[in-house]
Amino acid sequence: MSSKQRLAALAAPRSEGSWALLAGVAALLLYLPTLSPSVVWDDGGELQMLSRLLGVAHPTGYPLALLLGWLFTHLPAGDVALRVTLLSTFSSAAAVSVSYLLARSLDAGRTPALLAALTLAAAQRVWMHATATEVYGLANLLMLLGLWLLVRWGRGQAPLWQPALALGLGLTHHISLRLWGPAVLLYLFWTAPGLLRRPRQWLPAAGALLLPLTLYALLPLRAQHFLAQPQWQGEILGIRKVVASGLVTPHYFGGVDNLILALDYGAEFLAGDFLGLSALPQFAAQLDQQFPWPATALAGLGVILLWRRRPREAGLLTVSAVFSLWAALRFLAAVGEDGDNFIPLYLLMGAWLAVAMAWVLESGQRWLRPPWPQRLLLLLLILLPLWNMARGWPLALQRRQVDVRAQAAALLAQPLPTGALLAGEWAAVTPLRYLQRVEGLRPDLWIVATDVAGEQVLWQRAMAADAPYFLLRRSQGRLWLLPAVTVTDAAAISHPDSRRLNDQVRWLGYDLAPASPQPGQTLALTLFWGVDATPTQAWSTFIHLLDAQGEKVAQVDRTPLADHYPPPQWQPGQVLADAYELTLPAGLAAGRYQLVFGAYRGDERFDWTDGLSTQPLAEIVIAP
């Protein structure tokens, strides 16, 4: 090799690194303007809190993400929540860089590798998880890093321990990488049939694969740390305080193996349709949201081309895709979640897309002699990532969560009694816990994630213990707190009144929010009942919204407190808060509307003591 060739060989990796960096920076510039700026709902709120405190998260515990998130919490910019979100953003941008490198290792040229990486960067699921606190951005990075290093090993450009370490970190982080095991083994023994006879190669790799798994030891260590603190010992309404605090997931107490292996989720996955074929229409609709149809078609062509040119690498990607697709279809069919499990397939499609783009450009150079058709082909390929970015931009802006912090802080600022328990769905609970544990807002409250059945159990325990109990609700991006079912201070009713339904129950007034709703919004409406004698039977309450002509435009009907405390269980002397949600039609015209209500059983309406079966409730105004 001449000195000129040696210099070129040394310069090549640096040049590839520059192009990969360009891809990552371009993705970062795409993600940052659509970044969720602070506290987020759902799993993200939990990760934001636990990254700061190094608690124990929901399965699989995510020790690697929490450790890296803890490092990001010490960045100098933004609040803690934003800093943790930046871990997802930078991981996703780095994944785009590695996607470029993977495409280059599959012999795609620089231009098609860059264009395919940017098209992948704008895929809806990839973009979504790059702008909010989630585990998928880091998972994407580790998956692609493991694949790229494995292909480099297959070409004699990297030692085996490097991809093993990357895949080991991936196994420590997200269970989806386990599905790539058969493909990795196929590639290993296809590339090096006698590998098992060479322990000097595979022993260091085995050690590198297993070493990251020791991070799981962090979970019991941190759980025991919190359990040893006096303020988290004992129970609140039958729930461990360390669980009610949000610092340790309840899954931990089902066994560390249950937590790490996500056995609870596995049971759901194993149920139902074995092949998951019933979910194919949903998958097709979601795939259309990730890539423009020409990109999807080109990725399909890339599968064929890669098998012709690089069969070992084609086998690695294809078998990985088959297992990932099968598992995601099964999970979607059994559980009905919204498709995040298809992300590994989208990552692989980025590599196939690069291979096909390279073939298109090569074919153009071979068969189209005038330069302008070749340039036209290149222009069409350049339009693919731009097309994906343009169609994804409005959705990314719409998805930005900009007001969760303000809502959660306003809710915690309400005059809630010390030691009160707030129960609600997981998504509504996590931002409140973040503000509690990280920023010190109302640490005296207990905020518990539960379903409707759990809310009823907690309500019964709260009644027995005479403990303050509230319900959290979230609808259409808005968070509110329903008052305790039992109200000790009737003066707290914002619109007091007094009307008698019968000799057992009186209506004492209502609360209503928001005061000036918009079409499509949900009204949070609470009726207050005073109990003079235990009702002998349950009934249904109707609430109707009437326009100026008296026509009904919206309604809600329900047995008062049916989920927790139906009327035959009411006790004399109680004041009860009965909460409803009334969703306004999206196309509701501006004007004045009347809310009316009443009671019925079967087909018969009750007459109140004033002789009327329908009572006026409130007027609402829809602004033009």
Side-chain angles (χ1 to χ4, degrees):
M1 179 182 295
S2 67
S3 60
K4 189 175 182 179
Q5 290 174 322
R6 283 195 296 269
L7 287 173
L10 289 172
R14 297 178 185 176
S15 178
E16 293 305 332
S18 299
W19 281 76
L21 181 62
L22 175 63
V25 169
L28 195 61
L29 293 175
L30 180 68
Y31 298 150
L32 286 176
T34 59
L35 192 65
S36 297
S38 188
V39 187
V40 297
W41 303 113
D42 213 61
D43 294 353
E46 181 201 36
L47 293 172
Q48 288 172 336
M49 177 189 77
L50 294 183
S51 292
R52 184 65 167 183
L53 303 174
L54 286 181
V56 180
H58 67 279
T60 60
Y62 303 104
L64 178 62
L66 294 182
L67 285 170
L68 293 175
W70 179 82
L71 292 175
F72 269 72
T73 64
H74 293 82
L75 292 173
D79 60 13
V80 168
L82 174 61
R83 297 170 198 169
V84 178
T85 302
L86 286 174
L87 172 60
S88 294
T89 308
F90 280 92
S91 296
S92 298
V96 173
S97 293
V98 179
S99 176
Y100 166 85
L101 294 172
L102 174 61
R104 292 289 288 139
S105 70
L106 298 175
D107 298 330
R110 287 174 178 168
T111 298
L114 180 63
L115 294 177
L118 293 179
T119 306
L120 174 65
Q124 188 255 337
R125 288 281 158 181
V126 175
W127 193 341
M128 179 176 75
H129 291 300
T131 58
T133 308
E134 256 296 356
V135 298
Y136 294 100
L138 182 57
N140 296 346
L141 172 59
L142 294 172
M143 287 178 185
L144 288 171
L145 187 62
L147 276 182
W148 172 57
L149 291 172
L150 195 60
V151 171
R152 280 178 56 82
W153 167 80
R155 303 187 74 167
Q157 298 171 338
L160 186 56
W161 67 264
Q162 289 184 1
L165 180 62
L167 294 172
L169 289 169
L171 290 172
T172 306
H173 178 61
H174 201 270
I175 59 176
S176 57
L177 201 57
R178 302 171 192 175
L179 296 166
W180 289 14
V184 171
L185 290 174
L186 171 67
Y187 185 74
L188 286 175
F189 293 111
W190 192 349
T191 304
L195 181 62
L196 290 178
R197 297 192 297 271
R198 297 191 291 272
R200 289 186 179 181
Q201 289 188 26
W202 64 262
L203 275 177
L209 180 71
L210 297 176
L211 181 63
L213 301 183
T214 59
L215 289 174
Y216 280 119
L218 180 69
L219 304 181
L221 289 175
R222 294 303 294 172
Q224 292 306 312
H225 164 76
F226 291 114
L227 286 167
Q229 298 183 27
Q231 68 268 34
W232 308 128
Q233 294 175 0
E235 296 183 344
I236 176 74
L237 296 185
I239 301 174
R240 289 183 175 92
K241 288 184 177 180
V242 75
V243 172
S245 69
L247 295 170
V248 178
T249 177
H251 295 272
Y252 173 80
F253 296 96
V256 178
D257 58 335
N258 174 65
L259 174 63
I260 294 173
L261 299 175
L263 297 179
D264 292 342
Y265 298 161
E268 293 178 325
F269 167 73
L270 293 173
D273 183 1
F274 177 76
L275 293 177
L277 297 181
S278 60
L280 276 174
Q282 294 168 271
F283 165 64
Q286 291 179 20
L287 180 60
D288 182 62
Q289 296 174 1
Q290 312 309 313
F291 301 101
W293 67 264
T296 302
L298 282 173
L301 175 62
V303 176
I304 300 171
L305 293 171
L306 193 60
W307 272 105
R308 292 178 58 186
R309 297 181 176 186
R310 302 280 295 276
R312 289 184 307 186
E313 285 72 21
L316 173 63
L317 269 61
T318 303
V319 176
S320 299
V322 167
F323 276 90
S324 295
L325 178 60
W326 168 70
L329 286 172
R330 272 197 60 106
F331 199 80
L332 183 61
V335 181
E337 289 196 357
D338 54 3
D340 287 336
N341 293 292
F342 293 106
I343 294 176
L345 178 63
Y346 305 147
L347 303 180
L348 298 171
M349 288 180 64
W352 288 319
L353 177 60
V355 171
M357 283 180 162
W359 176 83
V360 169
L361 292 178
E362 292 167 3
S363 300
Q365 292 174 354
R366 183 180 302 116
W367 300 108
L368 302 175
R369 294 304 177 187
W372 68 265
Q374 298 177 23
R375 293 169 186 166
L376 179 61
L377 274 179
L378 177 59
L379 177 61
L380 292 174
L381 295 181
I382 290 173
L383 289 177
L384 282 179
L386 296 178
W387 181 3
N388 219 20
M389 292 176 190
R391 71 176 193 157
W393 182 264
L395 183 60
L397 289 176
Q398 177 185 348
R399 225 172 24 234
R400 279 186 88 208
Q401 296 174 312
V402 297
D403 62 346
V404 177
R405 164 184 284 281
Q407 291 185 54
L411 190 147
L412 291 177
Q414 295 183 27
L416 302 171
T418 298
L421 189 143
L422 283 58
E425 64 169 337
W426 172 251
V429 161
T430 55
L432 297 175
R433 283 177 167 174
Y434 167 86
L435 293 177
Q436 259 197 324
R437 305 301 166 205
V438 175
E439 301 189 3
L441 298 184
R442 295 304 305 266
D444 57 297
L445 301 175
W446 299 101
I447 304 174
V448 177
T450 186
D451 55 14
V452 172
E455 288 178 355
Q456 184 170 5
V457 170
L458 288 173
W459 153 242
Q460 293 168 348
R461 294 174 183 173
M463 286 284 290
D466 194 24
Y469 178 67
F470 297 81
L471 297 177
L472 287 166
R473 287 293 181 266
R474 185 183 73 129
S475 178
Q476 298 177 333
R478 194 170 66 86
L479 181 68
W480 66 82
L481 184 67
L482 303 184
V485 172
T486 54
V487 179
T488 57
D489 183 10
I493 301 173
S494 60
H495 300 279
D497 204 323
S498 182
R499 303 177 206 174
R500 181 169 287 281
L501 177 62
N502 51 39
D503 59 357
Q504 300 164 347
V505 176
R506 290 169 292 121
W507 181 74
L508 302 179
Y510 69 95
D511 289 345
L512 177 64
S516 301
Q518 298 295 318
Q521 277 192 312
T522 297
L523 295 177
L525 181 64
T526 303
L527 308 182
F528 293 89
W529 305 100
V531 184
D532 295 326
T534 299
T536 55
Q537 290 181 300
W539 69 87
S540 295
T541 298
F542 67 86
I543 301 174
H544 293 171
L545 182 66
L546 307 180
D547 63 16
Q549 289 73 43
E551 296 294 326
K552 181 172 62 179
V553 295
Q555 77 176 76
V556 61
D557 294 51
R558 201 191 66 224
T559 299
L561 304 176
D563 292 337
H564 305 285
Y565 197 43
Q569 298 180 21
W570 295 1
Q571 298 300 313
Q574 290 179 326
V575 175
L576 303 174
D578 179 24
Y580 296 80
E581 298 172 14
L582 178 63
T583 300
L584 305 181
L588 194 62
R592 295 180 178 274
Y593 294 83
Q594 296 293 325
L595 281 168
V596 300
F597 75 111
Y600 66 92
R601 184 185 302 118
D603 296 328
E604 182 182 358
R605 286 192 181 184
F606 291 2
D607 287 333
W608 295 60
T609 55
D610 62 3
L612 300 176
S613 62
T614 299
Q615 297 289 317
L617 180 58
E619 181 183 78
I620 66 170
V621 178
I622 305 296

